Amino acid sequence: MIVIFLLVGVILSTTASFVFGIPWLMPIFGAAVPYPIFFLEVRRQQYKSAFWWMLLWGVLQSTAVIVATAIAPQTAAKAILRGQSYTIEMLHWIRTGEGTEGSLSLFLPDHLLQYGIFCILCVVTLSSVALIFGTWMLNYMNFYVAQLVKLSAKPWLAAILGWYPWSILRIIGFIATGVALAALGLNLLTRIRGEVPKSAFPKFYMLIGIGFVIADIVVKAVLAPIWQKMLLSALG
């Protein structure tokens, strides 16, 4: 039932976002689909379930946005915040090797800032606003992937390479962090009410989150130059 709920929810939220065409609504609509499930699972201390349901949602959301962008690129350009600017930035990097993507000194501050913002939002809003923030980043990445495939001389290769391995590691890290810090936020809220938290802080998921975010940085620093050359070959 949850799989069907997520699938239908993703399709409806993406469709509604494209129909309304209001950029700031799209990440809100997208995040609204999995959050009730995520919150209930974290509240029940079912952290593993919360993690895997969010990962499944990420796959479904990505697929829906890529397909919708391929079908209606002009509408997607209006509906997806930073979609076009991110795509221009990535295409410039692919064609020239210049830009933040291939430079550790340039992308590291952005990564750390985004992760820091995400962590704060997780604790303060029980991961609700953090999920909106993450959905926004996920959406513009998927817009770029759809555009890359469309523009490439070898679309099949672009489809394989479009989602960077370090970006996948980052998503896993953010989801695990969201699980851990939502639980922390619930515990803090319980203490504010003068009660004793019923569950311990899930350190395991916090460690997974930090570990995957670090892996994202290391893998990106090592693989980005290689990936840029392969993407250039796909783009033609």
Side-chain angles (χ1 to χ4, degrees), residues 195-213:
E195 303 172 6
V196 178
K198 296 179 181 180
S199 61
F201 173 62
K203 297 178 183 178
F204 176 70
Y205 283 91
M206 192 69 219
L207 291 174
I208 290 177
I210 294 173
F212 271 86
V213 169

PDB file of all heavy atoms in Angstrom, residues 195-213:
ATOM      1  N   GLU A 195       9.090  16.157  29.573  1.00  0.00           N
ATOM      2  CA  GLU A 195       8.989  14.708  29.610  1.00  0.00           C
ATOM      3  C   GLU A 195      10.333  14.078  29.270  1.00  0.00           C
ATOM      4  O   GLU A 195      11.234  14.743  28.777  1.00  0.00           O
ATOM      5  CB  GLU A 195       7.921  14.229  28.614  1.00  0.00           C
ATOM      6  CG  GLU A 195       6.541  14.837  28.854  1.00  0.00           C
ATOM      7  CD  GLU A 195       5.572  14.505  27.747  1.00  0.00           C
ATOM      8  OE1 GLU A 195       5.938  13.707  26.855  1.00  0.00           O
ATOM      9  OE2 GLU A 195       4.451  15.049  27.749  1.00  0.00           O
ATOM     10  N   VAL A 196      10.433  12.785  29.560  1.00  0.00           N
ATOM     11  CA  VAL A 196      11.663  12.056  29.261  1.00  0.00           C
ATOM     12  C   VAL A 196      11.503  11.345  27.919  1.00  0.00           C
ATOM     13  O   VAL A 196      10.521  10.627  27.713  1.00  0.00           O
ATOM     14  CB  VAL A 196      11.971  11.011  30.358  1.00  0.00           C
ATOM     15  CG1 VAL A 196      13.239  10.223  30.000  1.00  0.00           C
ATOM     16  CG2 VAL A 196      12.132  11.690  31.704  1.00  0.00           C
ATOM     17  N   PRO A 197      12.437  11.550  26.979  1.00  0.00           N
ATOM     18  CA  PRO A 197      12.342  10.881  25.677  1.00  0.00           C
ATOM     19  C   PRO A 197      12.284   9.362  25.831  1.00  0.00           C
ATOM     20  O   PRO A 197      12.983   8.784  26.672  1.00  0.00           O
ATOM     21  CB  PRO A 197      13.617  11.310  24.958  1.00  0.00           C
ATOM     22  CG  PRO A 197      14.018  12.592  25.619  1.00  0.00           C
ATOM     23  CD  PRO A 197      13.612  12.442  27.058  1.00  0.00           C
ATOM     24  N   LYS A 198      11.449   8.740  25.012  1.00  0.00           N
ATOM     25  CA  LYS A 198      11.280   7.292  25.088  1.00  0.00           C
ATOM     26  C   LYS A 198      12.315   6.552  24.244  1.00  0.00           C
ATOM     27  O   LYS A 198      12.460   5.338  24.378  1.00  0.00           O
ATOM     28  CB  LYS A 198       9.873   6.915  24.609  1.00  0.00           C
ATOM     29  CG  LYS A 198       8.759   7.479  25.490  1.00  0.00           C
ATOM     30  CD  LYS A 198       7.396   7.078  24.945  1.00  0.00           C
ATOM     31  CE  LYS A 198       6.276   7.655  25.812  1.00  0.00           C
ATOM     32  NZ  LYS A 198       4.927   7.276  25.293  1.00  0.00           N
ATOM     33  N   SER A 199      13.007   7.273  23.395  1.00  0.00           N
ATOM     34  CA  SER A 199      13.985   6.625  22.520  1.00  0.00           C
ATOM     35  C   SER A 199      15.321   7.342  22.573  1.00  0.00           C
ATOM     36  O   SER A 199      15.391   8.552  22.792  1.00  0.00           O
ATOM     37  CB  SER A 199      13.475   6.600  21.077  1.00  0.00           C
ATOM     38  OG  SER A 199      13.281   7.916  20.602  1.00  0.00           O
ATOM     39  N   ALA A 200      16.382   6.567  22.366  1.00  0.00           N
ATOM     40  CA  ALA A 200      17.726   7.140  22.324  1.00  0.00           C
ATOM     41  C   ALA A 200      17.993   7.712  20.930  1.00  0.00           C
ATOM     42  O   ALA A 200      17.349   7.337  19.949  1.00  0.00           O
ATOM     43  CB  ALA A 200      18.757   6.064  22.649  1.00  0.00           C
ATOM     44  N   PHE A 201      18.924   8.651  20.870  1.00  0.00           N
ATOM     45  CA  PHE A 201      19.305   9.235  19.582  1.00  0.00           C
ATOM     46  C   PHE A 201      19.912   8.145  18.700  1.00  0.00           C
ATOM     47  O   PHE A 201      20.842   7.441  19.114  1.00  0.00           O
ATOM     48  CB  PHE A 201      20.325  10.350  19.824  1.00  0.00           C
ATOM     49  CG  PHE A 201      20.916  10.913  18.566  1.00  0.00           C
ATOM     50  CD1 PHE A 201      20.110  11.533  17.621  1.00  0.00           C
ATOM     51  CD2 PHE A 201      22.281  10.836  18.329  1.00  0.00           C
ATOM     52  CE1 PHE A 201      20.654  12.065  16.461  1.00  0.00           C
ATOM     53  CE2 PHE A 201      22.837  11.364  17.174  1.00  0.00           C
ATOM     54  CZ  PHE A 201      22.013  11.982  16.240  1.00  0.00           C
ATOM     55  N   PRO A 202      19.396   7.961  17.469  1.00  0.00           N
ATOM     56  CA  PRO A 202      19.919   6.906  16.583  1.00  0.00           C
ATOM     57  C   PRO A 202      21.273   7.276  15.980  1.00  0.00           C
ATOM     58  O   PRO A 202      21.365   7.722  14.828  1.00  0.00           O
ATOM     59  CB  PRO A 202      18.827   6.785  15.511  1.00  0.00           C
ATOM     60  CG  PRO A 202      18.185   8.125  15.463  1.00  0.00           C
ATOM     61  CD  PRO A 202      18.251   8.663  16.867  1.00  0.00           C
ATOM     62  N   LYS A 203      22.321   7.097  16.764  1.00  0.00           N
ATOM     63  CA  LYS A 203      23.662   7.477  16.332  1.00  0.00           C
ATOM     64  C   LYS A 203      24.086   6.759  15.051  1.00  0.00           C
ATOM     65  O   LYS A 203      24.820   7.309  14.235  1.00  0.00           O
ATOM     66  CB  LYS A 203      24.672   7.164  17.444  1.00  0.00           C
ATOM     67  CG  LYS A 203      24.458   7.951  18.726  1.00  0.00           C
ATOM     68  CD  LYS A 203      25.473   7.530  19.774  1.00  0.00           C
ATOM     69  CE  LYS A 203      25.232   8.256  21.095  1.00  0.00           C
ATOM     70  NZ  LYS A 203      26.186   7.812  22.141  1.00  0.00           N
ATOM     71  N   PHE A 204      23.620   5.523  14.900  1.00  0.00           N
ATOM     72  CA  PHE A 204      24.004   4.719  13.747  1.00  0.00           C
ATOM     73  C   PHE A 204      23.659   5.436  12.445  1.00  0.00           C
ATOM     74  O   PHE A 204      24.483   5.503  11.524  1.00  0.00           O
ATOM     75  CB  PHE A 204      23.297   3.357  13.804  1.00  0.00           C
ATOM     76  CG  PHE A 204      23.538   2.482  12.611  1.00  0.00           C
ATOM     77  CD1 PHE A 204      24.783   1.913  12.390  1.00  0.00           C
ATOM     78  CD2 PHE A 204      22.523   2.237  11.699  1.00  0.00           C
ATOM     79  CE1 PHE A 204      25.015   1.107  11.278  1.00  0.00           C
ATOM     80  CE2 PHE A 204      22.741   1.430  10.584  1.00  0.00           C
ATOM     81  CZ  PHE A 204      23.988   0.867  10.379  1.00  0.00           C
ATOM     82  N   TYR A 205      22.461   6.000  12.368  1.00  0.00           N
ATOM     83  CA  TYR A 205      22.043   6.669  11.140  1.00  0.00           C
ATOM     84  C   TYR A 205      22.756   8.008  10.957  1.00  0.00           C
ATOM     85  O   TYR A 205      22.994   8.434   9.821  1.00  0.00           O
ATOM     86  CB  TYR A 205      20.516   6.832  11.108  1.00  0.00           C
ATOM     87  CG  TYR A 205      19.829   5.544  10.764  1.00  0.00           C
ATOM     88  CD1 TYR A 205      19.432   4.662  11.764  1.00  0.00           C
ATOM     89  CD2 TYR A 205      19.639   5.169   9.439  1.00  0.00           C
ATOM     90  CE1 TYR A 205      18.846   3.442  11.444  1.00  0.00           C
ATOM     91  CE2 TYR A 205      19.045   3.965   9.109  1.00  0.00           C
ATOM     92  CZ  TYR A 205      18.653   3.093  10.122  1.00  0.00           C
ATOM     93  OH  TYR A 205      18.086   1.889   9.804  1.00  0.00           O
ATOM     94  N   MET A 206      23.103   8.652  12.056  1.00  0.00           N
ATOM     95  CA  MET A 206      23.871   9.890  11.950  1.00  0.00           C
ATOM     96  C   MET A 206      25.264   9.591  11.401  1.00  0.00           C
ATOM     97  O   MET A 206      25.788  10.328  10.558  1.00  0.00           O
ATOM     98  CB  MET A 206      23.972  10.566  13.313  1.00  0.00           C
ATOM     99  CG  MET A 206      24.500  11.997  13.234  1.00  0.00           C
ATOM    100  SD  MET A 206      23.319  13.117  12.437  1.00  0.00           S
ATOM    101  CE  MET A 206      24.395  14.143  11.457  1.00  0.00           C
ATOM    102  N   LEU A 207      25.855   8.499  11.863  1.00  0.00           N
ATOM    103  CA  LEU A 207      27.181   8.104  11.377  1.00  0.00           C
ATOM    104  C   LEU A 207      27.123   7.713   9.901  1.00  0.00           C
ATOM    105  O   LEU A 207      28.033   8.039   9.133  1.00  0.00           O
ATOM    106  CB  LEU A 207      27.723   6.942  12.218  1.00  0.00           C
ATOM    107  CG  LEU A 207      28.098   7.277  13.661  1.00  0.00           C
ATOM    108  CD1 LEU A 207      28.486   6.014  14.414  1.00  0.00           C
ATOM    109  CD2 LEU A 207      29.241   8.283  13.700  1.00  0.00           C
ATOM    110  N   ILE A 208      26.057   7.024   9.512  1.00  0.00           N
ATOM    111  CA  ILE A 208      25.876   6.683   8.102  1.00  0.00           C
ATOM    112  C   ILE A 208      25.767   7.969   7.273  1.00  0.00           C
ATOM    113  O   ILE A 208      26.383   8.105   6.217  1.00  0.00           O
ATOM    114  CB  ILE A 208      24.602   5.828   7.893  1.00  0.00           C
ATOM    115  CG1 ILE A 208      24.804   4.432   8.476  1.00  0.00           C
ATOM    116  CG2 ILE A 208      24.263   5.725   6.398  1.00  0.00           C
ATOM    117  CD1 ILE A 208      23.582   3.546   8.372  1.00  0.00           C
ATOM    118  N   GLY A 209      24.970   8.907   7.776  1.00  0.00           N
ATOM    119  CA  GLY A 209      24.784  10.162   7.069  1.00  0.00           C
ATOM    120  C   GLY A 209      26.084  10.902   6.862  1.00  0.00           C
ATOM    121  O   GLY A 209      26.418  11.312   5.741  1.00  0.00           O
ATOM    122  N   ILE A 210      26.840  11.081   7.934  1.00  0.00           N
ATOM    123  CA  ILE A 210      28.121  11.786   7.847  1.00  0.00           C
ATOM    124  C   ILE A 210      29.094  11.025   6.949  1.00  0.00           C
ATOM    125  O   ILE A 210      29.802  11.618   6.130  1.00  0.00           O
ATOM    126  CB  ILE A 210      28.720  11.988   9.255  1.00  0.00           C
ATOM    127  CG1 ILE A 210      27.834  12.935  10.071  1.00  0.00           C
ATOM    128  CG2 ILE A 210      30.144  12.533   9.158  1.00  0.00           C
ATOM    129  CD1 ILE A 210      28.239  13.057  11.521  1.00  0.00           C
ATOM    130  N   GLY A 211      29.104   9.702   7.095  1.00  0.00           N
ATOM    131  CA  GLY A 211      30.009   8.873   6.299  1.00  0.00           C
ATOM    132  C   GLY A 211      29.750   9.000   4.811  1.00  0.00           C
ATOM    133  O   GLY A 211      30.691   9.142   4.007  1.00  0.00           O
ATOM    134  N   PHE A 212      28.477   8.986   4.419  1.00  0.00           N
ATOM    135  CA  PHE A 212      28.143   9.082   2.997  1.00  0.00           C
ATOM    136  C   PHE A 212      28.374  10.493   2.454  1.00  0.00           C
ATOM    137  O   PHE A 212      28.727  10.652   1.284  1.00  0.00           O
ATOM    138  CB  PHE A 212      26.701   8.642   2.762  1.00  0.00           C
ATOM    139  CG  PHE A 212      26.561   7.161   2.502  1.00  0.00           C
ATOM    140  CD1 PHE A 212      26.457   6.270   3.556  1.00  0.00           C
ATOM    141  CD2 PHE A 212      26.561   6.672   1.212  1.00  0.00           C
ATOM    142  CE1 PHE A 212      26.335   4.903   3.323  1.00  0.00           C
ATOM    143  CE2 PHE A 212      26.441   5.316   0.952  1.00  0.00           C
ATOM    144  CZ  PHE A 212      26.332   4.419   2.026  1.00  0.00           C
ATOM    145  N   VAL A 213      28.175  11.499   3.282  1.00  0.00           N
ATOM    146  CA  VAL A 213      28.449  12.867   2.845  1.00  0.00           C
ATOM    147  C   VAL A 213      29.953  13.057   2.621  1.00  0.00           C
ATOM    148  O   VAL A 213      30.369  13.704   1.650  1.00  0.00           O
ATOM    149  CB  VAL A 213      27.907  13.883   3.874  1.00  0.00           C
ATOM    150  CG1 VAL A 213      28.428  15.290   3.575  1.00  0.00           C
ATOM    151  CG2 VAL A 213      26.381  13.893   3.853  1.00  0.00           C
TER     152      VAL A 213
END
